[in-house]
Amino acid sequence: MGHHHKISADQPDPSSSTATTSQSSGSAPITVDIHTHTYPPSYISLLTSRTKVPYIHQPSDGDPRLIILPSDDDPSKPPHLRGRPVDKSYSSWDEKLKFMRTHGISLSVVSLANPWLDFLPSETAADTARQINDDLNAACESQNAKGDKHAQLYAFASLPLSAPTEQIVAEIRRLESLSCVKGIILGTTGLGAGLDDPFLAEIWTALEDTQTMIFLHPHYGLPDAAFGGPEVIARSGHVLPLALGFPLETTIAVARMFLAGVFDRHSRLRMLLAHSGGTLPFLAGRIQSCVEHEREFVANGGDKQGPTRTVWDVLGTNIWLDAVIYGKAGLKAAVEAAGAVGQGIEGSERLMFGTDHPFFPPLKEKDGRWASVDSNLAAIAGVAGAEEEVARKILGGNALRVLGIEI
Amino acid sequence: MGHHHKISADQPDPSSSTATTSQSSGSAPITVDIHTHTYPPSYISLLTSRTKVPYIHQPSDGDPRLIILPSDDDPSKPPHLRGRPVDKSYSSWDEKLKFMRTHGISLSVVSLANPWLDFLPSETAADTARQINDDLNAACESQNAKGDKHAQLYAFASLPLSAPTEQIVAEIRRLESLSCVKGIILGTTGLGAGLDDPFLAEIWTALEDTQTMIFLHPHYGLPDAAFGGPEVIARSGHVLPLALGFPLETTIAVARMFLAGVFDRHSRLRMLLAHSGGTLPFLAGRIQSCVEHEREFVANGGDKQGPTRTVWDVLGTNIWLDAVIYGKAGLKAAVEAAGAVGQGIEGSERLMFGTDHPFFPPLKEKDGRWASVDSNLAAIAGVAGAEEEVARKILGGNALRVLGIEI
């Protein structure tokens, strides 16, 4: 991940209030998309070679279908109607660059879509991860070599989590040699038992040592029973799992890390949370209050360890948030929660614009701007108000600074 | 619920920016607690008469234990160690009034703690509800007859949800005759199948016709599997179910109502959501975006009805939020979401101070102020900033106006 790019992201940007950098007032803001997915050809091949979830089914009489969730694999439907069509936007760099041009995005940090490489057999996982990460890095290098500063690509790599620990750690260290890799994307199950699993300690340490940004992203949702069962869910299509299941999954995963003391033992972790943290910014106060009132924690006279740092401290030190929240109300909470501790860093320096492309496309007119993107831009404009510098940071300045990217 | 008190709460308070009422600038703000629970003697008797959840166990050799959740009834523990001790703060009016004095609360709108009357046998449910609601009303009347305007009590009643529908509707209408009853408290399961259950239609209509405020409160949480199972939960005591399970339950319940079109068919419903709406203010943008991108909804060419109103419209018309959120970040989102539609009403006119007493007591020094209360007060002060009128409304002005209470 290019050592020459490495700067401390725990310090405020010294240039943020001056006019000495490319991000200075006066010039148009640079827009960076840090939440945008791709299925590179080697990943498409991998999914097509499989016959169980996750997989791509190629029917003889139609377009290929992507089936990534058990609930997509509805046995009452013939395979050519399960899941969703694999649109060319899923793997085409031209489509990604066209989408970027349409929305004035100069730089995208792409990541594999869920479920990444969580499902690989242990023996081949590390090889497969290397191949896919190399492919992704090569595609970005090739694009960047064209020299168009308004069409740059970088990537979050994927880890072979089913491989032996030393192979996972080796891949984390190897990623430092890939010039366009700026972090990793990670699901909420870790090695299978969640992110509070003690067996993750070596991996957290490697991620701390390399100061790798961990983009935490949901995939598994909540059990159907949380919504009242599959029949209740089906009444409103994908809304309940997508609108609520995803963010609640992220919230629970980070809360479990926090409560288990992962951020106490690994205080230099750097995590970027998808969807503005799920609901963490909103619930941070309640989580902290419950911790301070939990009789079973040692601090309150009990026999369980409990976290020693506060959730506000973790939010202000270890966590960054994307701005994929589709509304000013959520973004206000995210900025406020991110800056509650202060430490000289404004909350708005921890938020980063994203789109979730190729998901949430317009359902009718395909070629114009996407309403999902515009609602995120409107939220940023609404929160920034007259403070142009705040919008500039959230739109791209923070991503460039925190990920160590020079345009 | 005293017809003379009924005013339209869907209109902005004409006095809110003038100095013509008892809530005018200059006088000390009146603090009203709309989220505060009690176990009146008839409810304690009912729970003590039972031997399965929910129940109170009276061991021969110790204090009575309250067991309200299946997870409290841990069979590995002897009954005298299950659940929690029933402190006198649970049923004592003196304790409630003392707590109010300590925190400068002039008026409390008390409600039964969960699980209310959800568990009653169908045949006796209506009689039991009448008795408990009458007891609660009588206790409030008796206190208010003392004429101390800084120690007033009102109540949210409970419905006999297991009774035949006509008996539930009859109780809703009867509550209008109880001078201190200002609404009802309701759990998220409704008649057992959730709040999107079509069998609730007659009940929603009765609640609309009487313009009854429905205080929606969680109790059932999420399935253990959502948190990784009971062993993961147990590592941090009650934090996961209490900090996350409760607010996520509320969010899912209201989202199901919204997606099923309940607010379309019952557009005059009035709901006060516990814990600032669970996470609804934070996720409202994502919910609305998912609705607008859901291919299965009729509006997008599918065959499922989907909601016709927006979540922002519902938030700005049908929903009020308590301010039990323990932090400025969450409260900012709540105020913003509540006022997104506008319609002449500021978001801050839809928020109401609450404490969740007798829960979240201090663990050490029992007699002083409660940190849980102070963190809610600090959040209100933080959001209001220099706008004294905003703090005044959230602290009590909104509750008095919306519930139609004259001091």
Side-chain angles (χ1 to χ4, degrees):
Chain A
M1 290 179 285
H3 281 92
H4 57 292
H5 285 155
K6 209 159 280 167
I7 59 172
S8 170
D10 290 343
Q11 298 306 316
D13 176 5
S15 68
S16 65
S17 57
T18 68
T20 56
T21 73
S22 62
Q23 285 294 290
S24 64
S25 304
S27 60
I30 292 169
T31 302
V32 176
D33 183 357
I34 53 76
H35 188 156
T36 178
H37 300 293
T38 190
Y39 293 77
S42 47
Y43 192 56
I44 292 279
S45 301
L46 171 66
L47 292 174
T48 306
S49 73
R50 293 170 52 86
T51 55
K52 56 182 188 178
V53 175
Y55 70 107
I56 291 173
H57 175 69
Q58 176 61 69
S60 53
D61 59 346
D63 292 329
R65 310 283 298 188
L66 174 67
I67 300 162
I68 54 174
L69 288 168
S71 58
D72 290 338
D73 204 20
D74 180 353
S76 73
K77 294 182 180 174
H80 71 281
L81 290 179
R82 294 179 196 166
R84 56 188 120 180
V86 185
D87 190 83
K88 65 181 173 179
S89 65
Y90 282 60
S91 57
S92 157
W93 292 113
D94 284 347
E95 286 292 315
K96 185 71 77 186
L97 292 164
K98 182 178 155 204
F99 169 82
M100 291 167 64
R101 269 195 308 277
T102 302
H103 296 94
I105 296 164
S106 295
L107 190 152
S108 288
V109 185
V110 300
S111 48
L112 244 62
N114 38 313
W116 317 286
L117 305 175
D118 291 9
F119 53 86
L120 291 176
S122 178
E123 314 80 54
T124 58
D127 280 349
T128 305
R130 271 195 299 275
Q131 186 198 341
I132 288 176
N133 290 333
D134 282 349
D135 278 7
L136 209 47
N137 186 62
C140 294
E141 285 186 341
S142 158
Q143 173 61 30
N144 297 351
K146 295 178 188 166
D148 181 351
K149 70 174 186 169
H150 293 299
Q152 303 273 301
L153 295 176
Y154 289 84
F156 290 131
S158 303
L159 296 182
L161 292 170
S162 52
T165 299
E166 64 270 22
Q167 294 182 16
I168 306 173
V169 169
E171 183 63 5
I172 292 169
R173 300 201 178 277
R174 193 188 73 90
L175 292 175
E176 294 202 282
S177 67
L178 303 186
S179 66
C180 289
V181 169
K182 294 297 168 187
I184 58 150
I185 185 165
L186 183 72
T188 62
T189 51
L191 302 175
L195 300 180
D196 49 4
D197 182 352
F199 287 103
L200 279 163
E202 274 185 72
I203 295 165
W204 294 135
T205 298
L207 292 166
E208 281 185 290
D209 287 350
T210 52
Q211 281 291 285
T212 301
M213 180 61 82
I214 305 157
F215 179 28
L216 182 68
H217 195 289
H219 167 68
Y220 298 94
L222 294 184
D224 286 356
F227 299 111
E231 284 180 27
V232 172
I233 294 171
R235 283 180 218 145
S236 50
H238 303 83
V239 176
L240 285 169
L242 204 53
L244 305 187
F246 263 29
L248 305 189
E249 175 192 350
T250 305
T251 311
I252 291 169
V254 185
R256 283 175 57 179
M257 286 181 72
F258 167 67
L259 294 171
V262 175
F263 293 106
D264 297 324
R265 292 188 296 281
H266 302 280
S267 60
R268 295 179 304 130
L269 280 177
R270 306 172 75 210
M271 299 192 94
L272 169 64
L273 306 187
H275 314 120
S276 296
T279 65
L280 185 66
F282 192 77
L283 291 180
R286 186 170 175 88
I287 293 168
Q288 188 59 34
S289 182
C290 284
V291 165
E292 289 170 10
H293 289 85
E294 176 53 60
R295 293 174 201 273
E296 297 192 28
F297 283 154
V298 169
N300 303 325
D303 59 3
K304 296 188 160 85
Q305 184 55 51
T308 54
R309 295 172 60 198
T310 69
V311 69
W312 303 114
D313 182 31
V314 172
L315 273 163
T317 308
N318 301 94
I319 288 178
W320 288 262
L321 305 167
D322 76 21
V324 181
I325 184 76
Y326 312 105
K328 188 177 162 191
L331 191 58
K332 267 195 170 180
V335 169
E336 179 71 29
V341 163
Q343 302 187 333
I345 310 186
E346 292 290 328
S348 60
E349 300 209 339
R350 306 189 83 83
L351 270 289
M352 304 183 198
F353 171 76
T355 63
D356 220 345
H357 182 264
F359 304 110
F360 298 95
L363 297 183
K364 288 159 189 168
E365 180 55 63
K366 306 275 185 197
D367 284 336
R369 295 183 64 90
W370 291 24
S372 55
V373 177
D374 285 342
S375 69
N376 281 318
L377 290 170
I380 294 170
V383 166
E387 295 180 86
E388 194 194 326
E389 198 59 27
V390 168
R392 187 179 291 270
K393 287 175 186 169
I394 300 177
L395 285 172
N398 294 338
L400 296 177
R401 184 186 78 251
V402 173
L403 300 178
I405 299 172
E406 289 166 27
I407 294 199
Chain B
M1 288 181 286
H3 279 94
H4 60 290
H5 284 152
K6 209 160 280 163
I7 59 171
S8 170
D10 291 344
Q11 300 304 317
D13 178 3
S15 68
S16 65
S17 56
T18 68
T20 57
T21 73
S22 62
Q23 283 296 290
S24 64
S25 304
S27 59
I30 292 168
T31 302
V32 176
D33 183 356
I34 52 75
H35 188 157
T36 179
H37 300 293
T38 189
Y39 292 77
S42 46
Y43 192 57
I44 292 278
S45 301
L46 171 66
L47 293 174
T48 306
S49 73
R50 292 171 53 86
T51 55
K52 56 182 188 178
V53 175
Y55 70 106
I56 291 173
H57 175 70
Q58 176 61 69
S60 53
D61 59 345
D63 291 330
R65 309 285 296 189
L66 175 67
I67 300 161
I68 54 174
L69 288 168
S71 59
D72 290 336
D73 203 21
D74 180 354
S76 72
K77 294 182 180 172
H80 71 281
L81 290 178
R82 294 181 196 166
R84 57 189 116 180
V86 184
D87 189 83
K88 65 181 171 177
S89 65
Y90 282 58
S91 56
S92 157
W93 293 113
D94 283 347
E95 287 292 316
K96 184 71 77 186
L97 293 165
K98 181 177 157 205
F99 170 81
M100 290 167 64
R101 269 196 307 277
T102 300
H103 297 93
I105 296 165
S106 297
L107 190 152
S108 288
V109 185
V110 300
S111 48
L112 244 62
N114 38 316
W116 316 288
L117 306 176
D118 291 10
F119 53 86
L120 291 176
S122 178
E123 314 78 57
T124 57
D127 279 349
T128 306
R130 270 195 300 275
Q131 185 199 341
I132 288 176
N133 290 335
D134 282 348
D135 278 6
L136 209 47
N137 186 62
C140 295
E141 285 186 341
S142 157
Q143 173 60 30
N144 297 352
K146 295 178 189 165
D148 181 349
K149 69 176 187 167
H150 293 300
Q152 303 274 300
L153 296 175
Y154 290 84
F156 290 130
S158 302
L159 295 182
L161 291 170
S162 51
T165 300
E166 64 270 21
Q167 293 181 16
I168 305 173
V169 169
E171 183 64 5
I172 292 169
R173 298 200 179 279
R174 192 187 74 90
L175 293 175
E176 293 202 283
S177 67
L178 304 186
S179 66
C180 289
V181 169
K182 294 297 169 185
I184 58 152
I185 185 165
L186 182 73
T188 63
T189 51
L191 303 175
L195 299 180
D196 50 4
D197 182 351
F199 287 103
L200 280 163
E202 273 184 73
I203 295 165
W204 294 134
T205 299
L207 292 166
E208 281 185 290
D209 287 349
T210 52
Q211 282 292 285
T212 301
M213 180 61 83
I214 305 157
F215 179 30
L216 183 68
H217 195 288
H219 167 68
Y220 298 94
L222 294 183
D224 285 357
F227 299 111
E231 285 179 27
V232 172
I233 295 172
R235 284 181 216 143
S236 50
H238 302 85
V239 176
L240 285 169
L242 203 53
L244 304 187
F246 262 30
L248 306 190
E249 175 192 350
T250 305
T251 311
I252 291 170
V254 185
R256 283 175 59 179
M257 285 181 73
F258 167 66
L259 293 171
V262 175
F263 293 107
D264 297 324
R265 292 188 297 281
H266 302 280
S267 60
R268 294 179 303 130
L269 280 177
R270 306 172 76 209
M271 299 192 93
L272 169 64
L273 307 187
H275 315 119
S276 297
T279 65
L280 185 66
F282 191 77
L283 291 179
R286 186 169 175 90
I287 293 169
Q288 187 59 32
S289 182
C290 285
V291 166
E292 289 169 10
H293 289 84
E294 176 52 61
R295 291 173 203 275
E296 296 192 29
F297 283 154
V298 169
N300 302 326
D303 59 4
K304 295 186 161 87
Q305 184 55 49
T308 54
R309 295 172 61 198
T310 69
V311 69
W312 303 113
D313 182 31
V314 171
L315 274 163
T317 308
N318 301 95
I319 289 178
W320 288 261
L321 305 167
D322 75 24
V324 180
I325 184 77
Y326 312 105
K328 187 175 161 191
L331 192 59
K332 267 195 171 182
V335 169
E336 180 70 30
V341 163
Q343 303 186 333
I345 310 186
E346 293 290 328
S348 60
E349 301 211 338
R350 307 190 81 85
L351 271 289
M352 304 181 197
F353 171 77
T355 63
D356 220 346
H357 182 264
F359 304 109
F360 298 95
L363 298 182
K364 287 159 189 168
E365 179 55 63
K366 306 277 184 195
D367 283 337
R369 295 184 64 92
W370 291 24
S372 55
V373 176
D374 284 342
S375 69
N376 281 319
L377 290 170
I380 294 170
V383 165
E387 297 180 85
E388 193 195 323
E389 197 58 27
V390 167
R392 185 179 293 271
K393 286 175 187 170
I394 299 177
L395 285 172
N398 294 338
L400 296 178
R401 185 186 77 251
V402 172
L403 301 178
I405 298 172
E406 289 165 29
I407 295 199

